[in-house]
Amino acid sequence: MKSKIITVLKVLVLVVIIAWMVLFVVDYFRARGGNKPLVCLSETTKTNSKGTYYQCVSFGYKYFEYDGTAATPGYGFGAAFIKTEIEKNWEE
């Protein structure tokens, strides 16, 4: 019985990891095309004299768009726990 539970837990963890990897790859290619991710856990939009900055945080990664005089308009995709140069400049 104990080995059955361990096997089920292993399979469940494997399925969750594979699902996250698929979501990450899909969102990465969506970001490269300029589209927003499928899942956004939190969204932030900042507007000031420099322009507009939009950020969508998902499961361990984020998608961001920026438009304004502070940077060349564009978008990006990266780790959720690392601040981008655009974010650092935006807060100044």
Side-chain angles (χ1 to χ4, degrees):
M1 181 68 174
K2 188 175 181 179
S3 66
K4 234 181 187 182
I5 293 173
I6 291 174
T7 304
V8 169
L9 286 176
K10 285 181 182 179
V11 169
L12 184 62
V13 168
L14 187 63
V15 167
V16 168
I17 290 172
I18 290 171
W20 179 81
M21 288 172 55
V22 168
L23 184 64
F24 179 84
V25 169
V26 168
D27 283 348
Y28 173 76
F29 284 106
R30 287 178 58 85
R32 286 188 59 189
N35 299 318
K36 295 179 182 174
L38 294 175
V39 178
C40 279
L41 300 177
S42 69
E43 291 181 292
T44 305
T45 303
K46 298 176 185 177
T47 303
N48 60 18
S49 61
K50 297 177 182 179
T52 304
Y53 177 80
Y54 167 79
Q55 175 179 298
C56 168
V57 177
S58 192
F59 297 103
Y61 54 90
K62 64 183 167 188
Y63 169 79
F64 52 92
E65 296 176 353
Y66 45 91
D67 184 21
T69 59
T72 306
Y75 54 89
F77 189 81
F81 52 87
I82 298 175
K83 280 192 173 186
T84 63
E85 288 300 317
I86 301 299
E87 287 178 280
K88 291 176 187 174
N89 293 335
W90 216 266
E91 293 173 354
E92 294 177 349

